[in-house]
Amino acid sequence: MSAFLEPFGGAVCLDFANTLDGRATAQPAEYLHTYADLARWSAFAGLIDGATSARLRRHDAEASLRAALGLREAIFEVFAAIGRGQEPPAGPLDEVRRRYAEAVASARLVPGTSSGGKFIWEFTGDEPDRAWWPISVDAVRLLTEGPLDRVKTCAAEAGCIGLFVDTSKNRSRRWCTMDGCGVEAKVQRQARRRAARG
Ligand SMILES: [Zn+2]
C-alpha cells in the first residue's frame, strides 16, 4: 500500500496540490516532507519511472523540494480560485508560468505515443527538478486547454479543499471522495437531523 493519498483530482497538477490534505482542518496532513518524498510521489503519479525515482532520491535536493512546494501552493491558489468562479491571483499565476518556463527550458519536444501524433515535452536525466517539471507542464495544459469549468473544490467547508476535475455527466460531483469528505458530510447531516428531531 502506498503512503500517499489515493489520487482523486483527475489531473496530475491537482493531485499534486492535494498532497497537502485537509487544508481547512485544524491538522492539515503534509505528504511531502523531504525531497525523497517528492521523488517517490512523482513515480507514484507516473511522471517518472521507478528507476529514475530511485536515482533522484540519492540527491539531498532541498532547493528542489522548496521549488516544488512553491509550485504546489501556486497551483492550489490558482485552481481553487478558478473552482470558486474567481479570477486567479496574479502572483501564483506568474509562479506557475515561471516554473513552466524553467521546466520546458530543460525539455525536448518529441512525438508522443498516444496522442494522435501530437508532440510532447520529454524530460530526461537526473536533474533533481525533474521530479516536479512535468507537474508545471500539466498545470499550464489545464490552464490553456481546460476544461476549467469543471475544476471544483471539495464541498466540505471545513475539510480538505481538495481540487478535482468533475468528469461526471451532469457535473454533480461535490466531494473529493465519497468515503472521505463525502461520508463525513453525510454523518454530519444525519447528526443534525437527529438533533433537530430532539
Ligand atoms: Zn474533501
Side-chain angles (χ1 to χ4, degrees), residues 155-193:
E157 282 161 30
C160 72
I161 332 186
L163 292 166
F164 59 89
V165 178
D166 179 5
T167 54
S168 68
K169 222 174 190 171
N170 51 3
R171 306 184 182 217
S172 59
R173 181 171 160 196
R174 300 187 61 215
W175 313 106
C176 51
T177 57
M178 280 318 294
D179 53 1
C181 294
V183 77
E184 272 167 45
K186 195 171 156 194
V187 168
Q188 282 163 12
R189 268 199 310 277
Q190 284 166 348
R192 274 200 297 273
R193 239 175 266 143

Side-chain angles (χ1 to χ4, degrees), residues 12-197:
V12 161
C13 63
L14 301 186
D15 286 327
F16 186 59
N18 296 338
T19 59
L20 182 60
D21 188 28
R23 286 174 182 269
T25 68
Q27 284 158 323
E30 174 62 84
Y31 284 87
L32 306 177
H33 295 282
T34 63
Y35 175 76
D37 292 339
L38 172 67
R40 248 183 241 114
W41 190 86
S42 191
F44 171 73
L47 303 175
I48 52 176
D49 60 33
T52 303
S53 176
R55 286 198 314 277
L56 291 184
R57 288 204 300 273
R58 290 191 204 123
H59 298 283
D60 179 19
E62 186 65 21
S64 287
L65 175 67
R66 293 291 135 219
L69 295 182
L71 172 66
R72 181 183 72 180
E73 295 316 295
I75 288 171
F76 175 77
E77 294 292 331
V78 166
F79 288 101
I82 289 171
R84 292 169 179 141
Q86 298 161 355
E87 201 174 313
L93 193 58
D94 194 57
E95 170 78 2
V96 171
R97 179 201 62 77
R98 207 162 55 84
R99 294 301 179 188
Y100 172 78
E102 269 180 58
V104 297
S106 307
R108 289 194 314 151
L109 271 173
V110 297
T113 49
S114 60
S115 48
K118 283 187 192 170
F119 279 59
I120 57 165
W121 295 113
E122 183 188 68
F123 300 99
T124 53
D126 288 348
E127 180 64 39
D129 288 342
R130 186 179 167 189
W132 61 259
W133 281 337
I135 300 166
S136 69
V137 171
D138 189 62
V140 168
R141 178 200 57 76
L142 186 55
L143 275 170
T144 55
E145 296 177 19
L148 293 180
D149 57 348
R150 287 182 177 269
V151 171
K152 292 184 178 178
T153 58
C154 176
E157 282 161 30
C160 72
I161 332 186
L163 292 166
F164 59 89
V165 178
D166 179 5
T167 54
S168 68
K169 222 174 190 171
N170 51 3
R171 306 184 182 217
S172 59
R173 181 171 160 196
R174 300 187 61 215
W175 313 106
C176 51
T177 57
M178 280 318 294
D179 53 1
C181 294
V183 77
E184 272 167 45
K186 195 171 156 194
V187 168
Q188 282 163 12
R189 268 199 310 277
Q190 284 166 348
R192 274 200 297 273
R193 239 175 266 143
R194 269 196 301 275
R197 279 200 297 269

